Amino acid sequence: MKAQMTLTVNGEERDVFAAVHKTLLEVLREDLGLTGTKHGCELGECGACTVLVDGEPVLSCLALPVECQGREITTVEGLAQGERLHPLQQAFAELGAAQCGYCTPGMLLSARALLEATPMPTRDEVRQALAGNLCRCTGYTKILDAVELAALRLHRAGQIERSQARAGDSPGARAMVTGRA
Amino acid sequence: MSTKRFSVIGKGLPKIDSWSKVTGATQYADDLFLPRMAYGKLLRSPHPHALITRLDTSRAKALPGVFAVITGHDLPRLKFGIMPVSQDEEALCVEKVRMVGDAVAAVAAVDEETAERATLLIDVEYELLPPLMSIEDSLAHPEARIHEYGDGPNVHKAVSLQFGDVEEAFRQADLVREDVFFFEGNTHLPMEEHAAVAHFGPDGKLTLWSSTQTPHYVHRLLGKILDLPQAHIRVIATPVGGGFGGKLDAFAHEIAACRLSQLAGRPVKIALTREEVFYTHRGRHPVLMWMKTGFKKDGAITGMHFRSWLDGGAYGSYGVASTFYTGALQTVTYKIPVYKFEGVRVFTNKPPCGPKRGHGTPQPRFAVECHLDKAAEQLGLDPVEMRRRHLTEPFTKTANHLTVTTTGLAECIDRVVEASGWHEKRGKLPRGKGIGIACSAYMTGAGLAIYWNDMPHSGVVVRADRSGGVSVLCGATDIGQGSDSILAYVVAEVLGIEPKDIRVHPADTDLTPVDLGSYSSRVTLMAGNAAIQAAQRLRARIFEAVAKKLEVTPGDLEARDRRVFVKDDAERGVAFAEAVVLAESMHGVLAVPGSYAPPKRAGKYKGGGVGPSPCYSFSACVVEVDVDEETGQVRPTEVWVAHDVGRALNPLLVEGQVEGSIYMGLGEVLMEEQVFRKGVHKIPSMLEYKSPTALETPEIHTILVETDDPEGPFGAKEAGQGPLLPVIPAVANAVYDAVGVRVDETPISPDKVVRGLELKRQGKPARVGPEKLPLFTFPAPRAIDSAFGLPADAIAERPFAS
Ligand code: FES
Ligand code: FES
């Protein structure tokens, strides 16, 4: 049986007509063409399919799209703002945190949820937050480093923004600390 | 080492594909969706060993939405295999299945669900045969043969090589020790499940996109298996989401997709499920090992005798090479003047084993390094000192005729010993904490191809565009290690442009010259050298044209910062793009090839082809562990690896390879096992097949040692596999230091540690490991003179060098 639904993905409203038993993972990849979201098991065991639903990490291989109607879905395609990468993406690229890159979308979204909740996490908090995302390539080292670097940059950007709000504008400062200068 | 004279090499640059990977733009095989594409599924055997007595697909064919159903009868009736000596596989089995997971039929349908439903409508009847689930079973039941070929009933390969007289070497020793070890099998577990899309076009030509590490070998095999002219087949390796050796064979799903596409007249995709990946396997062989070594009082080795028994699984795959590899590299690390090796690979009714990171060498390295630690204790020597004193010398040969060029192992040992505070810690840590060391060596590319030929192992074409942009075409496959980026860096360095000015077009048998594949740590060295040659040839043409214009000689010129200019008068020059225009005006189209084949150094004996390499990397590892004496849980707390990489072309990428290797080694030594019950995988899921998470991977310290090897591109050696090797025995040695228990088999799981502690309490030898060896008579050894200590040929001649 198929059903009509409306999903909000990366800020865009998308109409989908799909079989009701299809997972969010399948609908994103097959019906919406958003193949950035990956799968390593389709059983909820590897974290490769992680997306954000209302900012919370969700395993899309276990989620049903109907349950996500009216909620904000964010996939890896929605992390960058136009041509400006999210600081996590920037740090992952710079530090070599993506080797084969297959776990990367899921990692990025888990990390983004962490940084939203805990802007300056300890290394152990990062480990904890990413424990459900398996990576077979990197030994996690550069991934942990990248999340820490992104946290630092976001924190500094936040500081500058706050001081700008107090003392007027200084164009370019934010770009500098977010590595986009 | 100074990197001043380089502008790209030695810098920690982002990989050229990082941007697409962090944005989700990289298209892996399963991300391809072609118009009218159908979805395929394989029907697999539920029995480990059985004859197929009936196979009827008519009900499946009748299901609406099904486009095609095939069995082995729809393919040419011949067997194939990756090694010419082991042609024993069928894409779809016709008469007999040899393992759970063997494919017997395949369906293409409008969607995956319909395809799946159709497979359930295929009627298969089996007559069960006795399943042979272990080396002992298979040797004890020669009447229930799994294959009709090999070196004996259920014996795939038996080898025996002797380099000098080991018995005499033992007589000269002050201490002779024997030990037995077992290394459990484990699997690659790449995050990306294998997937393939085949499109048999109306022009009668076939294109296959596949997550493969070796498009060239798949290309060759498809020609044979499908009975199509190879010239009408195109294989494109999509970016691979992790390989580790698991995507190096031609697989049933690739072949079935091709044939289904031909019959259905539309593209067909087959994507494996995680469970299917566990059965596809080709991973680490379970290996039982016995070794005997003679030592002098100072730890010098007088001779070594090593035996290995490999549980090969149901097919040959790379198994002949794996068998030799369990004996080949023992001699590269320490001086072993006399050496004897006997190995046998036995067929069993389990998924076939093959190459996994370190191919056949982590098992013996585990044995050797634990054995050395035990000997050091008996001799009253510090395990570091004993190793350090007896390292192989640069530019010499080993007993089994391998050529060691540069070696940085002494420095590697010194650096990890210092960084870890070894001398302050060894034997001095509180109870339950321990520290261990181990060393290793690994090949930088196999000296010989899988099939015998005189052609290059790697080819590159560098093409310069009038815009100043440069394309690099090469058959190499980026599996995450960064081979595309390495190609861009070396070409950019030679041409004096930026990596960003370069586009790399990899792994397409229609467009790119052959590279044999991403295995044996060969790509940086072989494709790198070919790329350097091509870029230098292009640069020579450019210099010739620019020299004419500037009225200087080509020798006066330099290329750097996107300019070509006079060395002593940097103001005089032209932009790189202009230089290309001058060169194209003078020479015509600028598309220049480079070729690489390794120096011909293989030992002149049968079996001498496995082990030779242009150069070897070296690693030393120290691990610190915490052992919980109640639960037996071993927790590595810190790991130091120093790795002789020759030269780090990009230190960031090399560190990444070392870190990934350490992680994988920790998984193998502490938790990973590919085990079966009645032919069925016990744990074919990512939850139950335990692998380390971010929580279980400790802090890792990577130290890079550079030796500038004359064989390597800019002096580089491999980094992707070698650093895994010492991690496993270093953990075992650390566990012994912590609690005095020797676990002589992997994984070192809590139950084994607890058992060892219990033995210790009872006053028995605190050792847990194999007790028995299988009954098997090895063939009489081929006796070859030891080449130990002979000087290496001063200049290695290699084909295509000029
Ligand atoms: S694919 Fe969803 S957790 Fe593995
Ligand atoms: S980068 Fe390959 S799985 Fe994480």
Side-chain angles (χ1 to χ4, degrees):
Chain A
M1 200 185 61
K2 289 192 166 193
Q4 178 80 37
M5 6 180 196
T6 305
L7 299 176
T8 312
V9 186
N10 303 327
E12 291 172 38
E13 295 224 326
R14 305 284 300 266
D15 293 326
V16 185
F17 183 62
V20 283
H21 60 264
K22 266 189 143 181
T23 63
L24 179 59
L25 172 76
E26 290 165 326
V27 166
L28 288 171
R29 288 176 52 82
E30 294 162 17
D31 298 85
L32 298 177
L34 295 169
T35 53
T37 303
K38 301 298 175 219
H39 56 80
C41 67
E42 301 192 53
L43 295 166
E45 300 173 346
C46 74
C49 64
T50 306
V51 299
L52 301 184
V53 177
D54 288 342
E56 289 297 318
V58 162
L59 297 174
S60 63
C61 72
L62 298 183
L64 290 178
V66 266
E67 293 163 359
C68 301
Q69 291 195 95
R71 304 170 73 186
E72 276 290 338
I73 301 166
T74 308
T75 69
V76 67
E77 290 92 344
L79 272 180
Q81 304 277 311
E83 60 152 21
R84 207 170 86 188
L85 294 185
H86 188 279
L88 277 164
Q89 292 173 302
Q90 185 68 26
F92 268 58
E94 283 175 19
L95 297 190
Q99 284 190 21
C100 80
Y102 202 79
C103 69
T104 307
M107 286 284 180
L108 286 167
L109 290 159
S110 292
R112 153 117 183 237
L114 167 72
L115 297 190
E116 294 285 324
T118 314
M120 283 297 279
T122 63
R123 200 156 172 99
D124 277 341
E125 284 171 326
V126 183
R127 287 181 187 278
Q128 201 80 48
L130 300 182
N133 291 80
L134 295 180
C135 171
R136 287 294 275 176
C137 297
T138 61
Y140 305 102
T141 306
K142 300 237 180 290
I143 293 176
L144 301 176
D145 292 348
V147 175
E148 288 178 341
L149 177 63
L152 199 67
R153 284 174 172 170
L154 276 163
H155 178 72
R156 286 207 214 121
Q159 278 179 338
I160 289 171
E161 228 161 58
R162 280 190 295 278
S163 68
Q164 278 167 2
R166 283 193 297 271
D169 210 13
S170 123
R174 189 189 161 90
M176 244 149 72
V177 292
T178 53
R180 297 291 305 166
Chain B
M1 188 166 295
S2 160
T3 53
K4 266 236 294 298
R5 64 194 174 92
F6 297 121
S7 45
V8 179
I9 297 304
K11 299 232 163 87
L13 302 172
K15 289 197 296 177
I16 59 171
D17 55 3
S18 310
W19 316 105
S20 59
K21 284 183 173 168
V22 299
T23 51
T26 301
Q27 288 212 306
Y28 302 85
D30 194 30
D31 298 336
L32 301 179
F33 291 87
L34 302 185
R36 300 178 65 245
M37 188 171 82
Y39 294 80
K41 270 275 164 207
L42 299 173
L43 176 67
R44 295 179 183 271
S45 163
H47 305 296
H49 201 186
L51 296 174
I52 301 167
T53 52
R54 195 171 83 93
L55 192 52
D56 181 354
T57 59
S58 45
R59 287 200 302 147
K61 281 185 173 142
L63 186 74
V66 168
F67 300 126
V69 183
I70 57 170
T71 68
H73 295 285
D74 300 295
L75 291 164
R77 288 293 306 279
L78 49 82
K79 292 189 176 176
F80 67 92
I82 192 74
M83 305 272 298
V85 293
S86 308
Q87 302 289 299
D88 61 2
E89 299 189 46
E90 295 162 290
L92 303 172
C93 299
V94 173
E95 281 159 7
K96 178 170 160 167
V97 292
R98 297 175 174 84
M99 59 177 239
V100 173
D102 257 343
V104 297
V107 177
V110 63
D111 54 30
E112 246 183 320
E113 259 185 281
T114 311
E116 172 114 51
R117 227 171 328 126
T119 62
L120 301 178
L121 296 176
I122 298 170
D123 298 302
V124 199
E125 281 168 23
Y126 296 97
E127 179 188 322
L128 302 190
L129 296 170
L132 304 175
M133 298 310 295
S134 67
I135 289 177
E136 288 77 8
D137 269 3
S138 294
L139 292 178
H141 292 285
E143 76 292 350
R145 278 190 84 149
I146 296 173
H147 289 284
E148 294 306 316
Y149 81 108
D151 286 348
N154 295 325
V155 174
H156 177 210
K157 184 74 193 169
V159 299
S160 187
L161 297 167
Q162 171 166 329
F163 307 90
D165 182 349
V166 269
E167 297 310 325
E168 178 53 32
F170 293 149
R171 276 193 288 278
Q172 287 168 11
D174 299 318
L175 168 71
V176 177
R177 249 214 82 95
E178 286 179 46
D179 280 297
V180 179
F181 298 92
F182 176 65
F183 198 108
E184 184 55 277
N186 54 56
T187 199
H188 320 84
L189 200 78
M191 287 301 294
E192 177 206 28
E193 301 128 314
H194 309 47
V197 178
H199 183 31
F200 202 100
D203 55 0
K205 291 187 186 175
L206 171 70
T207 305
L208 177 74
W209 292 263
S210 185
S211 51
T212 176
Q213 297 175 242
T214 173
H216 171 63
Y217 291 147
V218 170
H219 187 209
R220 267 175 59 85
L221 286 174
L222 283 183
K224 173 179 171 178
I225 302 160
L226 298 171
D227 197 18
L228 281 175
Q230 211 190 319
H232 299 167
I233 302 173
R234 176 182 188 185
V235 178
I236 300 172
T238 45
V240 177
F244 317 113
K247 296 170 180 168
L248 274 173
D249 290 68
F251 294 108
H253 69 279
E254 293 171 316
I255 299 156
C258 293
R259 185 73 179 120
L260 286 169
S261 170
Q262 190 175 17
L263 293 175
R266 49 174 85 215
V268 173
K269 178 195 279 185
I270 302 186
L272 300 190
T273 65
R274 178 54 61 183
E275 188 176 14
E276 287 179 290
V277 175
F278 274 101
Y279 283 100
T280 302
H281 191 40
R282 322 276 161 156
R284 188 82 73 222
H285 283 80
V287 184
L288 185 62
M289 295 162 285
W290 167 90
M291 65 183 299
K292 182 173 177 183
T293 309
F295 297 92
K296 289 298 214 187
K297 284 204 178 69
D298 67 350
I301 293 169
T302 61
M304 181 183 284
H305 185 179
F306 198 97
R307 283 190 182 133
S308 53
W309 293 261
L310 293 80
D311 181 344
Y315 295 99
S317 183
Y318 286 80
V320 169
S322 317
T323 308
F324 279 107
Y325 278 132
T326 64
L329 300 191
Q330 275 84 327
T331 54
V332 178
T333 320
Y334 312 105
K335 292 193 178 98
I336 302 178
V338 173
Y339 181 59
K340 182 173 178 184
F341 166 63
E342 293 162 302
V344 60
R345 184 177 190 265
V346 176
F347 288 124
T348 52
N349 292 118
K350 293 184 281 194
C353 300
K356 182 186 171 194
R357 207 170 198 167
H359 194 185
T361 71
Q363 301 98 325
R365 188 47 59 183
F366 167 66
V368 167
E369 296 291 321
C370 294
H371 177 77
L372 284 184
D373 246 45
K374 297 183 191 195
E377 188 180 8
Q378 252 179 308
L379 292 166
L381 299 172
D382 176 63
V384 167
E385 255 327 290
M386 178 168 128
R387 287 175 168 86
R388 178 79 172 69
R389 266 188 223 157
H390 304 292
L391 304 176
T392 48
E393 303 282 342
F395 297 96
T396 60
K397 294 197 180 193
T398 67
N400 54 341
H401 300 231
L402 306 180
T403 299
V404 175
T405 56
T406 58
T407 164
L409 185 51
E411 187 182 343
C412 290
I413 295 177
D414 294 345
R415 300 277 299 270
V416 284
V417 162
E418 199 198 312
S420 63
W422 169 271
H423 291 297
E424 295 76 59
K425 289 176 180 166
R426 173 71 177 192
K428 298 177 189 131
L429 294 172
R431 218 184 133 85
K433 288 188 193 300
I435 189 164
I437 189 164
C439 305
S440 64
Y442 196 68
M443 312 180 298
T444 306
L448 274 84
I450 298 285
Y451 65 100
W452 196 91
N453 72 83
D454 269 331
M455 292 176 280
H457 289 215
S458 199
V460 168
V461 169
V462 175
R463 200 200 128 239
D465 185 71
R466 296 171 190 184
S467 64
V470 168
S471 314
V472 178
L473 286 72
C474 176
T477 310
D478 201 320
I479 61 172
Q481 84 282 41
S483 61
D484 287 0
S485 301
I486 294 294
L487 288 169
Y489 303 150
V490 299
V491 171
E493 183 67 49
V494 173
L495 297 178
I497 56 178
E498 296 290 320
K500 194 171 183 181
D501 305 334
I502 293 174
R503 280 182 208 272
V504 177
H505 301 274
D508 177 335
T509 60
D510 260 19
L511 302 180
T512 62
V514 166
D515 173 89
L516 294 179
S518 285
Y519 65 91
S520 83
S521 274
R522 50 176 300 289
V523 181
T524 290
L525 185 134
M526 299 200 194
N529 276 329
I532 289 174
Q533 188 184 58
Q536 283 174 342
R537 287 174 174 168
L538 171 62
R539 189 179 61 186
R541 291 187 196 181
I542 291 174
F543 279 10
E544 197 187 337
V546 174
K548 186 167 170 221
K549 155 123 184 172
L550 299 180
E551 296 175 339
V552 294
T553 64
D556 298 329
L557 295 174
E558 188 174 339
R560 213 181 164 96
D561 304 329
R562 294 181 173 136
R563 287 181 74 241
V564 177
F565 54 90
V566 180
K567 271 184 224 160
D568 309 325
D569 184 4
E571 296 298 299
R572 272 177 79 201
V574 297
F576 182 78
E578 192 187 335
V580 169
V581 170
L582 292 171
E584 192 176 333
S585 310
M586 177 183 271
H587 300 284
V589 171
L590 296 174
V592 190
S595 305
Y596 178 85
K600 296 206 157 138
R601 279 196 187 127
K604 303 216 172 355
Y605 59 89
K606 197 154 179 257
V610 181
S613 175
C615 55
Y616 297 88
S617 75
F618 293 87
S619 319
C621 173
V622 168
V623 177
E624 224 179 300
V625 297
D626 259 359
V627 181
D628 183 326
E629 294 193 60
E630 295 277 296
T631 61
Q633 191 75 44
V634 176
R635 195 170 62 88
T637 50
E638 241 170 306
V639 182
W640 295 263
V641 164
H643 181 69
D644 165 15
V645 65
R647 181 189 303 282
L649 299 181
N650 177 336
L652 206 60
L653 301 199
V654 178
E655 282 167 22
Q657 288 305 304
V658 175
E659 289 156 3
S661 296
I662 292 171
Y663 149 87
M664 201 163 266
L666 292 174
E668 295 197 24
V669 66
L670 294 173
M671 55 187 93
E672 296 186 29
E673 36 184 350
Q674 167 100 336
V675 284
F676 298 84
R677 188 181 289 139
K678 298 199 177 117
V680 180
H681 198 299
K682 266 162 89 172
I683 43 176
S685 85
M686 293 185 100
L687 194 64
E688 292 158 298
Y689 180 93
K690 295 266 176 269
S691 66
T693 66
L695 282 174
E696 286 139 340
T697 308
E699 286 303 313
I700 289 171
H701 308 278
T702 301
I703 300 160
L704 302 183
V705 168
E706 299 196 314
T707 45
D708 196 10
D709 196 277
E711 299 291 338
F714 298 105
K717 303 180 184 179
E718 75 90 37
Q721 310 194 65
L724 175 145
L725 300 167
V727 176
I728 296 162
V731 169
N733 291 338
V735 168
Y736 178 70
D737 186 47
V739 293
V741 170
R742 278 283 169 198
V743 182
D744 287 344
E745 67 176 55
T746 67
I748 303 180
S749 49
D751 56 308
K752 292 176 193 164
V753 176
V754 167
R755 214 180 322 143
L757 286 165
E758 182 54 33
L759 289 168
K760 200 173 148 192
R761 267 192 290 278
Q762 295 168 4
K764 296 186 184 147
R767 173 191 178 267
V768 177
E771 310 280 347
K772 294 203 311 267
L773 296 172
L775 285 176
F776 179 77
T777 312
F778 288 95
R782 197 182 301 272
I784 302 125
D785 286 341
S786 167
F788 171 75
L790 294 179
D793 329 328
I795 299 165
E797 286 201 35
R798 56 179 173 83
F800 316 111
S802 53

